[in-house]
Amino acid sequence: MKINGNEIRPGNTIQHQNTLWRAVKVEAVKPGKGPAYAQVELKNLLDGRKLNERFRSSETVERVRLEQKDHTFLYAEGDMLTFMDSESYEQVQIAEDMIGDQRVFLQDGMAVSVEMHEGRPIGVALPEQVTLNITETEPTVKGQTASSSYKPAILENGLRVMVPPHISSDTAIIVNTETLEYVKRAD
């Protein structure tokens, strides 16, 4: 499907320079002189390279639709991650660097969506939110809860997030996997 250069959004997969790229960041630029354009940071889905590219609104790019199949995360071995198809029970291995920073959120038995292009796995879409336990955080200081300040907390997977002052150690919280931020306390 062809789209204009100014219609590219973060997360879109496009065909550019005869390979697949995912838009990571998109910034609309309106210079004082000349036409507006979109400054797009792209990540190559096949080898992980990054590229900054300008797309004018008059240019068209091919947007690629990826097939998504439900899988379950089984285990990690070396730098390869093994997933099992939820319908056919077929196992597929994906390189750890294809997932990037979101690797820390993978848990045994987690339901994910594996993105396929022409029968080849090229990425993994994690759930938007995951529940994790806090292993370490600073104690609450009396009177500190009145302000909207946050304190650092270290989660069971080693990730460091900012949490409200009333949250203590050994508390389960929900974290957004895209922004790596605290959402709320788990019930």
Side-chain angles (χ1 to χ4, degrees), residues 51 58 89 131 138 166 169 174 181:
L51 173 72
S58 59
Y89 302 111
T131 303
E138 299 169 5
H166 67 275
S169 292
I174 296 175
E181 293 176 347

Side-chain angles (χ1 to χ4, degrees), residues 1 9 15-16 34 43 63 75 81 83 98 107 121 144 181:
M1 177 173 103
R9 300 286 173 256
Q15 182 91 31
H16 182 62
K43 182 178 180 188
R63 182 169 175 203
Y75 59 89
L81 305 172
F83 298 88
M98 292 279 230
Q107 301 166 350
Q144 187 180 8
E181 293 176 347

Side-chain angles (χ1 to χ4, degrees), residues 71-128:
H71 282 69
T72 303
F73 174 64
L74 296 179
Y75 59 89
E77 186 176 326
D79 63 346
M80 297 301 282
L81 305 172
T82 304
F83 298 88
M84 180 179 67
D85 189 319
S86 300
E87 293 173 10
S88 68
Y89 302 111
E90 186 178 308
Q91 292 186 8
V92 64
Q93 288 193 320
I94 298 175
E96 197 173 88
D97 59 350
M98 292 279 230
I99 299 173
D101 296 342
Q102 295 185 324
R103 162 67 179 104
V104 297
F105 292 113
L106 278 177
Q107 301 166 350
D108 291 345
M110 176 182 269
V112 297
S113 182
V114 173
E115 298 170 330
M116 312 281 261
H117 182 257
E118 297 174 354
R120 181 175 166 217
I122 59 169
V124 176
L126 297 178
E128 193 175 312

Side-chain angles (χ1 to χ4, degrees), residues 10-56:
N12 285 163
T13 303
I14 63 169
Q15 182 91 31
H16 182 62
Q17 298 176 347
N18 297 323
T19 188
L20 292 177
W21 299 85
R22 171 160 291 134
V24 180
K25 290 181 187 171
V26 178
E27 183 181 347
V29 180
K30 296 176 184 156
K33 188 174 182 181
Y37 59 89
Q39 183 72 36
V40 183
E41 183 181 315
L42 299 168
K43 182 178 180 188
N44 189 308
L45 292 176
L46 305 178
D47 61 20
R49 287 181 298 146
K50 289 202 172 185
L51 173 72
N52 278 313
E53 196 74 54
R54 289 182 178 181
F55 293 99
R56 302 206 182 282

